[in-house]
Amino acid sequence: QVQLVESGGGLVQPGGSMRLSCAASGSIISINYMGWYRQAPGKQRELVARITGGSSRNYADSVKGRFTISRDNAKNTVYLQMNSLKPEDTAVYYCNVAAVVDGYGYQIYWGQGTQVTVSS
């Protein structure tokens, strides 16, 4: 099917920057959208940002102006550039991909999650 490999994450100070990457591989025919969710302790998972095949983007209100999502279609990779990070951005970040997969049709996949901690 499809494998998602996330990279980036770690510890950063408030006001700092970090970039997350997620590469999709497998029997992909087409990708409908790629995005990032996050889940903080004791909270529900929430959408952070999403980008469609036509490069339409949407963001959570809490990250608008600070985070930028982009994708490299040739590499089936999505990036999340996070600037001006705040302690409240601390969470596990999950890559999320919707794709048409050979033999499986339309499927939604999740990455394993990567921890982002914003703290001094």
Side-chain angles (χ1 to χ4, degrees), residues 9-88:
L11 175 65
V12 64
Q13 291 188 341
S17 297
M18 182 177 287
R19 189 175 85 154
L20 305 180
S21 301
C22 174
S25 63
S27 303
I28 298 170
I29 295 174
S30 63
I31 292 180
N32 182 279
Y33 64 79
M34 305 181 83
W36 293 91
Y37 281 71
R38 68 185 180 187
Q39 188 167 20
K43 294 188 176 181
Q44 289 189 331
R45 190 173 297 190
E46 62 174 359
L47 175 68
V48 177
R50 178 181 291 171
I51 184 168
T52 68
S55 295
S56 174
R57 297 168 172 83
N58 60 290
Y59 297 93
D61 287 343
S62 59
V63 307
K64 283 181 180 176
R66 300 188 298 120
F67 291 11
T68 301
I69 191 169
S70 61
R71 63 188 278 183
D72 183 332
N73 291 329
K75 296 180 179 180
N76 287 336
T77 299
V78 63
Y79 305 96
L80 184 67
Q81 178 65 43
M82 304 183 290
N83 299 328
S84 302
L85 282 160
K86 305 175 180 179
E88 50 263 43

